[in-house]
Amino acid sequence: MKFVAEINVMPRPELLDPQGKAVLLGLEHLGLDQVEDVRVGKRITLQLEAENETIAREKVDKACSKLLANLIMESYEYELQQV
């Protein structure tokens, strides 16, 4: 079976996000001072094959926790769809 995982990796809420602060300042310079906060993360699309959804989720979790996200500073969530 083929699956596609749409993964969002974001800085943990309790940590500062310097890139988000830089974007916020840039938005303010553009006159968009109504924006209160910006958090910058990454979106990853992963295509994989697995015997079933449970195994696919195990593979995605392993990829995220071992490589795609730094769990000390980031959290991740994903949606998995069979294609």
Side-chain angles (χ1 to χ4, degrees):
M1 301 172 80
K2 294 186 180 202
F3 295 90
V4 173
E6 296 289 340
I7 305 163
N8 291 314
V9 179
M10 295 296 292
R12 292 194 177 275
E14 60 272 12
L15 297 177
L16 294 175
D17 180 7
Q19 191 174 5
K21 295 297 179 200
V23 171
L24 182 61
L25 286 173
L27 292 171
E28 289 174 358
H29 289 289
L30 292 173
L32 299 171
D33 52 355
Q34 303 86 354
V35 178
E36 295 179 7
D37 192 30
V38 177
R39 304 291 287 177
V40 176
K42 51 191 168 186
R43 183 163 177 91
I44 302 159
T45 301
L46 189 74
Q47 297 179 19
L48 67 146
E49 287 199 31
E51 294 175 13
N52 57 49
E53 184 177 337
T54 301
I55 293 172
R57 288 189 180 280
E58 289 172 0
K59 289 181 177 188
V60 173
D61 279 321
K62 184 176 183 178
C64 290
S65 64
K66 300 286 185 185
L67 178 66
L68 302 176
N70 177 347
L71 298 182
I72 295 170
M73 300 174 20
E74 300 171 317
S75 62
Y76 69 90
E77 59 184 32
Y78 62 89
E79 293 181 18
L80 186 68
Q81 296 181 348
Q82 184 180 348
V83 292

